[in-house]
Amino acid sequence: MNLLKDDPELILDPLFMNNIFKKYRDELPPFTEYWDLMFKKKQMKVVARKDGSKVVHYNRLRKYLFNPTRATDKETTDTVIELASTAVEAVITELEDKRKATFNCCKCQKNQGIPAQGRQRQVQEAIDSVAMQDAPQTRKRNNADLEIQAKKARKQKEDMLREL
């Protein structure tokens, strides 16, 4: 993040962006599998007007992202760099906020002198902390969704009874 903060133009560098999570891909095989799925195998169904293709690989989308061919896309370069700078500042501010659970994870990443097992324990503790902080909000959202569904079901039931 600090590299992007210092040089926001790196957001348009495919080598930098594709390797930004390399450390995690090397350390976590499930993340490597996810990465390969997303950028090598995954497809998105669309219908293209010009060539009639119905499937676009994410790899092709990534190519257009880093090597725009349309004039309109090329003209957005300055805006993308400005947005990258703003986004990086926001992410860093969020990660360094001591009141947030993510702070613990940043702390462990900065302290690389800790043995691997200790780092894994700290990362797991940070993940648990995030999950625990998020649980009440998730429960509230789920309860609200269930209430909405129940109201719809009651209304449908009333409508069906009226029809009889």
Side-chain angles (χ1 to χ4, degrees), residues 47-66:
V47 177
R49 284 189 231 162
K50 289 183 181 177
D51 63 6
S53 65
K54 297 188 184 211
V55 174
V56 177
H57 288 270
Y58 276 82
N59 201 24
R60 185 170 156 197
L61 295 174
R62 188 172 58 184
K63 178 183 134 193
Y64 289 136
L65 174 68
F66 293 117

Side-chain angles (χ1 to χ4, degrees), residues 61-156:
L61 295 174
R62 188 172 58 184
K63 178 183 134 193
Y64 289 136
L65 174 68
F66 293 117
N67 300 308
T69 53
R70 295 174 48 205
T72 315
D73 295 340
K74 290 178 181 179
E75 292 169 5
T76 63
T77 299
D78 292 336
T79 305
V80 169
I81 293 168
E82 185 178 332
L83 286 171
S85 179
T86 304
V88 166
E89 289 290 333
V91 169
I92 289 173
T93 300
E94 182 76 13
L95 292 175
E96 291 180 344
D97 187 344
K98 293 180 182 179
R99 298 170 296 159
K100 306 281 180 148
T102 50
F103 177 75
N104 294 329
C105 191
C106 289
K107 219 170 41 176
C108 77
Q109 292 302 321
K110 289 179 183 175
N111 191 357
Q112 293 297 323
I114 298 173
Q117 287 179 333
R119 271 198 324 271
Q120 288 176 344
R121 188 179 73 248
Q122 281 187 332
V123 169
Q124 187 59 48
E125 288 172 2
I127 290 169
D128 293 346
S129 178
V130 168
M132 292 304 290
Q133 285 186 359
D134 188 45
Q137 288 83 5
T138 302
R139 190 177 311 115
K140 285 179 187 174
R141 283 192 305 270
N142 289 344
N143 288 344
D145 289 344
L146 288 173
E147 286 177 28
I148 291 169
Q149 290 174 6
K151 285 180 184 178
K152 286 180 182 177
R154 282 193 290 276
K155 180 156 177 30
Q156 286 177 344

